[in-house]
Amino acid sequence: MILESKIIGILGGGQLGRMSALAAARLGFRAHIYCPEKDCPASQVTDLFTCSAYEDTSALEAFARQVDVITYEFENIPLETVRFLQKFKPVYPDDRLLEVSQDRLKEKKFLNDIGIPTAPWVPCTQADDIRKTLADWNMSECIVKTARFGYDGKGQVYHKANSSIEETWSKLNTQSAVIEGIVDFACEVSVIVGRDRLGQTAAYPAVLNEHQNHILSKTHAPAPISKKLAIKASDMAHNLAEAVDLIGVMALELFVTRDEQILANEIAPRTHNSGHWTIDACAVSQFEQHIRTVCGLPVGMPDMHSPATMINLIGEDVKNLPRYLEMPNACVHLYGKQDVKPGRKMGHVTLLNR
Ligand code: AMP
């Protein structure tokens, strides 16, 4: 059988788009990248590229007419862009999941409504809401996060005991935020799940994530947690995928508390940094899973054939490359970014732990 050739339109040109385009090529498909920045990591690996703003409706329409299906590689794509594109071609995951994951208030309400617990939370529109919530909870500390456009710890303030509530609120520089109780977590884990057009789901094993300065630094696959907890985490991801009628791949970030509860922190409606190890340690990577599911193919097997540790190369970390290149179990991935900047994800290394 020869697969019908497809062109997959990808909104966003970062490393997730790059690795998705490479996975598409493996299946004989082509990726068309749409991104406002020139020479982005994804555009370097495919010859189909539109460089234009997400608000440019004529460029968006021309792009949509040239592709068979559309997806995105980051969640801060304007909702209106996706809704506009949906008039021409299917966009997966659809605008409903995107809308929920773009707004922490909607996201937490949605998760709680389908029975997935989170940290306690309250909407916040002014400094007084923080004062009142701390009094109600009988707490002196909390985390306040902007409702929209937060990532890698940006858009959030850890409000410490005895610090100024007014200062915490003004640092956020927003009209809409969420106040969260501080979770005394034992570890942070995530589950990546894919779901195809027939509703078949496949979840990768739960992995443990370590952060530095709020940026993912290492992922351990599988997570060293009990089987019971791993199943619970996986069940949550499956339930969420069903509830949002997912077509594509998404990640669910979770806290494991010291008393062995699992609380959801965030949904990423796309492939995720904590799933990069799947390229080297699974038969079907998260990127291939994403391409398969948005193209109407069945989900592939998510099982790992080797335990793995993924190390992000952030900023100057990329200087350690010669050391990794000499390690026989290290799979090196670079994203084609020319300028090294603090906090910038330059590449990653997957160590196969056999
Ligand atoms: P987020 O932007 O929500 O993904 O948060 C970034 C990081 O901040 C998480 O990976 C946690 O390490 C920490 N964090 C976020 N929310 C909480 C919370 N409610 N309690 C404790 N730590 C948190």
Side-chain angles (χ1 to χ4, degrees), residues 186-204:
C187 63
E188 292 184 78
V189 302
S190 55
V191 177
I192 293 170
V193 61
R195 186 169 176 275
D196 63 26
R197 290 194 201 166
L198 296 177
Q200 297 188 89
T201 52
Y204 292 92

Side-chain angles (χ1 to χ4, degrees), residues 273-285:
N273 195 168
S274 71
H276 290 0
W277 63 277
T278 61
I279 300 175
D280 303 300
C282 294
V284 173
S285 74

Side-chain angles (χ1 to χ4, degrees), residues 104 119 143 145 153 156 180-183 185 188 211 214 253 255 265-266:
R104 290 188 195 271
I143 294 188
K145 303 177 180 176
Q156 65 170 271
E180 274 184 41
I182 291 162
V183 179
F185 57 78
E188 292 184 78
H211 298 87
H214 291 288
E253 297 177 19
F255 297 124
N265 179 36
E266 214 171 25

Side-chain angles (χ1 to χ4, degrees), residues 205-226:
V207 294
L208 183 138
N209 298 320
E210 287 178 31
H211 298 87
Q212 267 180 13
N213 303 323
H214 291 288
I215 301 174
L216 183 70
S217 63
K218 261 189 197 173
T219 293
H220 303 269
I225 54 175
S226 68

